Amino acid sequence: MPRLTILGSCGAWPEPGRACAGFLLSHEDFHLALDLGYGAASQLFQHVPADRLDAIVVTHEHPDHIADVSALGRARYYTTDRKLPMHCTPGTVRRLAAMGPNPSPAENFDLHDLGPEADVGPFRLTTALLPHHVPNYGIRLTAPGYTLAYTGDTGPAPQLTDLARDADVLICEATLQGTPPDGPRYLMTAAEAGQLATAANVRTLLLTHFWPGSDRTVSVAEARAEFVGEVVAAEEGLMLNHA
């Protein structure tokens, strides 16, 4: 069955010894990265060399989700001539090109617009456009007997329930704690992540994108107050296997 490895768990910037958003999903000797923010590439390379990664999906263009995609591209430029399939937004490509125009993203990556359904190795990829400061796509990856959903960064939205429906693992951003703020919403609270997990009937809720310096035990407690299933706080190096 697929194995999920957490590469980075912070939002905005990494705490000491941690990294920003990044995940590795491995199945049938196929290795797929989800986002690679600040510090996540060095975590990735502990598990899979750059030239052994098979694909990457990037939810949106903010640097705490894409900064180390540049590092991955440089590593591959010097270790393999095989382009890596990357499913992402146009804004992601523009930002990567600004960070490192030589080699360009098109030289390192086989670029695909994120949005349409696609087969990515053994996984079926579907998406949902979610509310954030820039276009952000929630990700749903399915293989026989397994479903993973990942929100990227988002405020509450009705389409999240379908995105996460019956998922074995829901990777949900839980940047905020306590009472939800007023006004337009582009990030979620831990309690809202728990409510989503309940509504979608997920098996395991993996909280991530913690604001640096926040007490993660508070986030877990707030999510558990809303969801009776398994709640896990993302930690760099943690692996989740589901049989």
Side-chain angles (χ1 to χ4, degrees):
M1 292 297 291
R3 180 180 69 254
L4 177 67
T5 304
I6 291 85
L7 308 175
S9 62
C10 296
W13 71 92
E15 295 177 343
R18 296 190 183 274
C20 282
F23 304 89
L24 174 65
L25 185 61
S26 301
H27 183 45
E28 298 178 348
D29 204 32
F30 186 92
H31 303 291
L32 167 67
L34 295 171
D35 289 346
L36 285 177
Y38 301 116
S42 62
Q43 298 283 335
L44 172 67
F45 299 154
Q46 292 185 63
H47 303 280
V48 179
D51 61 350
R52 288 287 313 280
L53 193 66
D54 296 295
I56 183 169
V57 177
V58 181
T59 57
H60 67 288
E61 66 189 82
H62 279 161
D64 57 337
H65 291 253
I66 72 160
D68 271 21
V69 178
S70 178
L72 172 64
R74 291 180 66 83
R76 289 185 63 89
Y77 182 76
Y78 290 105
T79 58
T80 179
D81 58 3
R82 179 172 60 92
K83 288 186 178 183
L84 182 71
M86 180 165 68
H87 299 258
C88 64
T89 63
T92 297
V93 178
R94 290 193 295 269
R95 291 229 189 182
L96 289 171
M99 291 173 63
N102 186 22
S104 70
E107 292 180 75
N108 286 326
F109 300 103
D110 178 15
L111 300 170
H112 302 269
D113 286 339
L114 193 56
E117 294 187 5
D119 289 319
V120 183
F123 300 103
R124 184 63 177 171
L125 167 68
T126 57
T127 65
L129 184 61
L130 300 173
H132 195 47
H133 302 280
V134 297
N136 170 80
Y137 283 89
I139 302 300
R140 184 178 175 94
L141 292 162
T142 59
Y146 181 84
T147 298
L148 178 142
Y150 174 36
T151 66
D153 290 357
T154 182
Q159 59 268 39
L160 281 165
T161 304
D162 284 338
L163 178 79
R165 181 85 60 195
D166 297 326
D168 294 279
V169 180
L170 167 61
I171 308 172
C172 190
E173 83 108 312
T175 311
L176 308 177
Q177 297 174 344
T179 303
D182 295 328
R185 297 291 310 284
Y186 302 114
L187 295 169
M188 290 175 62
T189 69
E192 288 169 333
Q195 292 163 7
L196 170 60
T198 295
N201 189 40
V202 307
R203 181 174 174 184
T204 296
L205 171 61
L206 179 66
L207 302 177
T208 192
H209 205 262
F210 297 104
W211 189 256
S214 63
D215 184 344
R216 299 181 178 203
T217 63
V218 172
S219 298
V220 170
E222 291 182 351
R224 284 179 175 161
E226 303 293 339
F227 176 58
V228 298
E230 183 181 27
V231 178
V232 179
E235 293 281 346
E236 286 73 6
L238 179 67
M239 296 182 184
L240 299 181
N241 294 278
H242 283 89

